[in-house]
Amino acid sequence: MNKSGGFFDTQYLLFNYQLFTLFCNIRFYLIALLVASSFHAAAQEILDLPGKQAIVSLSAPQSVKKMLDKYIQLPAEPFASEYDESAFVHRIQKEISEIMATEGYFSVSVSVIKPAHAQSIEIKVDPGELTRVGSVSLEFSGDIANSDKEHRKRIEQLRAAWSLKTGKPFRAADWEQAKSALINSVTQQAFAAAAITSSQASVDPGAARADLTVTIDSGPVFHLGEIQISGLKRYDASLITRLATFKPGDIYQRDLLHQYQLALQKTPQFSTVTVSIVPDIAQHRSIPVKVMLTEAHAQRFAFGAGYSSNNGARGEINYQYHNLFDRAWNLTSLLRLEQKRQTFLAGVDTLPDQNNINHSFSASLQMTDIAGLKTDVQKAGLTRNYQTPTTVMQLGLNWQREHKKPDGANDQINQALVLDWRWRRRIVDDPVNVRRGDITEVRIGGGTRQLLSDQDFIRTYANHQSWWPVGLRDTFFLRAEVGYTLAPSRFGIPQEYLFRAGGIQSLRGYAFKSIGVHEGSAVVGGRTMATGTAEYTHWLTHQWGAATFVDIGSAADRWQDMRMFLGYGAGVRWRSPAGPLALDLARGHETGNWRVHFSMAVAF
């Protein structure tokens, strides 16, 4: 910078002034540009707000528009050219006509309305009259049409079960579903190779009528042949064949093969099982039954941990061996350690025979410390089991020795040899997450002083549970149980054959087995018991729900001593992969105390 006599150079000042002016102008233009951009963006956002006029709109009756909106996507931007607009109009008219035809509208009118000098297009849809089913003709050929009385009856049943009857709307999906259900019913029994040889829907758009014709060739009657097994290495083939409820020569039934597959899948010796036939007409007199399977490991260790508000934290070890004595018998042993109960159990299960009957032998040791009562129990038993998909029936002979130690009262040793019968039926929609169904259980057992028992007694017990769906998601649940032991006295009878109440699956709001008969400061079992539950669950999502409940009941030594206890509260439900888990907060009305009830188990 030059200085002369203490003054700045004039040219230098002028140059800086010009730079300053240029800088200010640039700042002004930049600010103006930013403001203009902001106004443009704001204007664009206003145009994009809901309620602005669409470039292409669809006008139709509400039910039709709702259906079309699922399949048609309208453009959100202006067309680049008149050619693009014309191509879109041509395509959309064709698509709408095709979609409407699948729903039974064959006289649909699709018009395009475009006001002059307007940027919008309105697609107007007049569906016309809905086409309905006119006549229905189901024709049969093959062995099913041989005038046999049973076959004639079956044809009548198939025609009666046809779902797309006269007067119903004719929709493409319903038409395909009706044909699929028909051929599925024919191939269900005897006619494994049945097929639809022709099907026609004659549509008269002017009369809004569709006449239907279907022809089915049943083919010959199929008879089951020998069982062909693949994948068997460790076990004898009799393990597979003995579970079959059919014999060679029986008429083919799909349900028979399905039940056979389920029976094999339940056996622990196999990890995967598939039972099928190849419907080869040339072999219809003796079609082979193919069983493809994968053997599971013969030995298995499992470890687990969990927590329950009834018995506290627990850990367990389980060992299973599935080929005892090379007879495919199942050996199971379990060591379970809980805060209030410790159990060691070992048992052997034989294979079920063709009548679904097997036998079990078990022995166990158990120690408990619940509600002031300590017990040491040794037990051994033999049981005959009968099982179907919905029913379990057991008849067992069990010997038990119990050392009973109530706080503040005398110790006792009770022994009993008990003949015990148990029947349980389960008919539910989902074995893991039940929403509709019933479970009923009945037990009767007893012992006598004449045969290794310290007391004469007969124990009876019944339990019933019902679920009803409410609306789309919710569930209402009722449970009732009652028990009575007929005996001169409760003394001399092991606790397993007496009754206490309280805790999960009994009376929430009260401690586990805290309601019964008092001996000293302990609560022991009495000869009578009755409890019930009403619960409503509202599922907020598929997995999470909230429940409210009321429990009522009691246990005592005599019916006249029964004093009803009431518990109520609310809780959270979670549908886990292993079943619903519950966290409940309940109030015991008689005590005024609040109690948390929770159960969860984790296997690893």
Side-chain angles (χ1 to χ4, degrees):
M1 200 170 4
N2 297 323
K3 294 183 181 180
S4 177
F7 294 95
F8 288 100
D9 186 85
T10 304
Q11 291 182 349
Y12 176 78
L13 289 173
L14 180 61
F15 177 74
N16 278 278
Y17 174 77
Q18 290 173 341
L19 285 176
F20 177 76
T21 303
L22 178 61
F23 176 74
C24 290
N25 288 336
I26 292 174
R27 284 188 61 188
F28 174 80
Y29 288 127
L30 287 173
I31 292 172
L33 181 61
L34 290 173
V35 171
S37 299
S38 300
F39 274 108
H40 176 75
Q44 187 64 40
E45 288 178 2
I46 292 173
L47 289 174
D48 290 340
L49 286 173
K52 81 163 189 176
Q53 189 175 20
I55 296 172
V56 179
S57 62
L58 183 65
S59 175
Q62 185 62 31
S63 59
V64 173
K65 187 176 185 303
K66 186 176 181 181
M67 183 265 296
L68 289 175
D69 285 341
K70 295 179 181 179
Y71 304 104
I72 294 178
Q73 184 174 2
L74 300 177
E77 299 294 335
F79 294 104
S81 65
E82 291 186 1
Y83 174 80
D84 290 343
E85 180 181 318
S86 176
F88 167 77
V89 169
H90 176 75
R91 177 174 56 83
I92 201 70
Q93 288 177 316
K94 183 180 179 181
E95 287 182 0
I96 290 176
S97 297
E98 291 174 349
I99 293 171
M100 296 298 293
T102 64
E103 292 298 311
Y105 296 95
F106 293 92
S107 56
V108 62
S109 172
V110 183
S111 56
V112 179
I113 302 173
K114 182 180 181 181
H117 308 294
Q119 297 296 320
S120 63
I121 297 175
E122 180 183 3
I123 308 296
K124 188 173 183 179
V125 180
D126 180 3
E129 188 176 354
L130 176 62
T131 299
R132 296 184 179 275
V133 176
S135 62
V136 177
S137 176
L138 304 182
E139 302 299 330
F140 296 87
S141 61
D143 283 5
I144 197 172
N146 64 4
S147 299
D148 180 87
K149 181 180 178 181
E150 289 298 322
H151 291 167
R152 290 200 307 271
K153 180 179 179 181
R154 190 168 176 197
I155 288 175
E156 292 174 2
Q157 293 172 343
L158 291 169
R159 286 173 172 160
W162 174 259
S163 59
L164 203 54
K165 298 184 183 298
T166 299
K168 283 196 170 186
F170 177 72
R171 297 185 175 91
D174 296 340
W175 170 232
E176 295 302 322
Q177 183 178 359
K179 290 188 290 182
S180 177
L182 174 62
I183 195 62
N184 184 66
S185 296
V186 177
T187 57
Q188 176 74 29
Q189 179 178 344
F191 306 105
I196 293 177
T197 55
S198 67
S199 64
Q200 182 177 4
S202 301
V203 178
D204 183 350
R209 172 190 174 104
D211 295 323
L212 311 180
T213 302
V214 182
T215 303
I216 301 98
D217 181 3
S218 71
V221 174
F222 277 70
H223 296 265
L224 298 174
E226 63 177 5
I227 297 175
Q228 296 180 351
I229 306 168
S230 60
L232 195 64
K233 299 176 182 178
R234 188 182 301 121
Y235 305 102
D236 189 79
S238 61
L239 174 61
I240 311 298
T241 57
R242 69 187 301 169
L243 294 178
T245 56
F246 55 85
K247 60 184 183 298
D250 286 353
I251 292 178
Y252 161 79
Q253 294 183 53
R254 188 187 301 148
D255 285 347
L256 278 180
L257 300 188
H258 180 64
Q259 292 170 8
Y260 182 37
Q261 179 172 309
L262 290 178
L264 290 172
Q265 287 174 338
K266 288 181 180 179
T267 60
Q269 287 82 6
F270 308 112
S271 56
T272 62
V273 179
T274 302
V275 177
S276 63
I277 66 165
V278 177
D280 183 359
I281 293 178
Q283 295 181 294
H284 74 93
R285 297 185 184 278
S286 182
I287 191 74
V289 178
K290 298 181 180 297
V291 178
M292 295 182 291
L293 49 85
T294 304
E295 293 182 352
H297 294 295
Q299 300 184 74
R300 182 181 302 170
F301 280 95
F303 304 88
Y307 177 83
S308 166
S309 56
N310 279 354
N311 290 307
R314 80 166 185 261
E316 64 180 56
I317 303 173
N318 190 305
Y319 169 74
Q320 294 180 333
Y321 180 51
H322 303 311
N323 196 22
L324 187 65
F325 305 133
D326 291 327
R327 300 175 64 93
W329 290 3
N330 297 305
L331 168 66
T332 301
S333 60
L334 170 71
L335 175 62
R336 176 177 294 167
L337 303 178
E338 300 170 283
Q339 288 178 284
K340 298 181 181 179
R341 181 173 57 187
Q342 298 81 46
T343 305
F344 174 74
L345 168 69
V348 175
D349 297 312
T350 66
L351 292 174
D353 59 19
Q354 292 181 334
N355 298 316
N356 294 316
I357 295 174
N358 78 307
H359 296 85
S360 302
F361 173 79
S362 63
S364 64
L365 303 173
Q366 187 175 85
M367 296 183 294
T368 67
D369 186 356
I370 302 171
L373 174 63
K374 296 179 181 179
T375 63
D376 296 331
V377 179
Q378 301 88 45
K379 183 178 178 181
L382 178 65
T383 305
R384 177 185 184 271
N385 308 292
Y386 169 75
Q387 186 169 352
T388 70
T390 60
T391 304
V392 174
M393 187 164 60
Q394 297 175 321
L395 180 63
L397 185 64
N398 300 287
W399 175 83
Q400 183 175 142
R401 181 184 184 276
E402 174 191 81
H403 186 187
K404 170 184 167 187
K405 297 172 281 187
D407 292 345
N410 295 329
D411 292 4
Q412 300 171 31
I413 293 179
N414 304 314
Q415 297 185 90
L417 181 65
V418 178
L419 184 65
D420 197 8
W421 177 83
R422 177 184 179 230
W423 177 84
R424 189 172 188 266
R425 187 186 68 173
R426 181 180 68 175
I427 302 177
V428 296
D429 57 347
D430 186 331
V432 178
N433 294 297
V434 183
R435 192 161 183 261
R436 181 194 296 275
D438 301 278
I439 298 178
T440 304
E441 180 178 348
V442 177
R443 296 187 67 170
I444 301 174
T448 174
R449 289 182 175 179
Q450 306 300 318
L451 194 60
L452 301 178
S453 295
D454 293 337
Q455 181 65 274
D456 296 326
F457 69 94
I458 298 176
R459 181 189 187 269
T460 60
Y461 173 82
N463 185 322
H464 182 78
Q465 304 173 70
S466 289
W467 290 261
W468 291 275
V470 180
L472 296 177
R473 291 183 175 179
D474 298 357
T475 306
F476 182 63
F477 168 70
L478 285 179
R479 179 191 62 85
E481 66 172 347
V482 61
Y484 176 62
T485 299
L486 177 64
S489 168
R490 71 175 184 274
F491 295 103
I493 303 175
Q495 292 294 297
E496 181 178 341
Y497 304 106
L498 298 171
F499 304 98
R500 288 187 283 178
I504 301 169
Q505 296 295 321
S506 180
L507 285 170
R508 285 163 289 188
Y510 303 89
F512 181 49
K513 292 188 176 182
S514 62
I515 300 172
V517 179
H518 288 271
E519 285 186 14
S521 58
V523 177
V524 302
R527 290 178 295 159
T528 63
M529 181 272 297
T531 69
T533 293
E535 181 171 302
Y536 185 90
T537 303
H538 172 60
W539 290 99
L540 304 170
T541 66
H542 177 71
Q543 285 189 306
W544 290 95
T548 57
F549 57 85
V550 175
D551 297 336
I552 189 172
S554 186
D557 206 34
R558 301 182 304 166
W559 291 116
Q560 51 267 42
D561 296 333
M562 293 274 281
R563 179 171 68 93
M564 287 297 159
F565 291 79
L566 180 67
Y568 45 84
V572 178
R573 300 291 180 269
W574 177 53
R575 284 191 175 119
S576 76
L581 301 183
L583 175 63
D584 292 326
L585 179 63
R587 181 178 186 270
H589 186 73
E590 313 304 314
T591 62
N593 296 329
W594 291 90
R595 186 175 292 274
V596 175
H597 296 276
F598 174 70
S599 63
M600 180 177 69
V602 179
F604 53 86

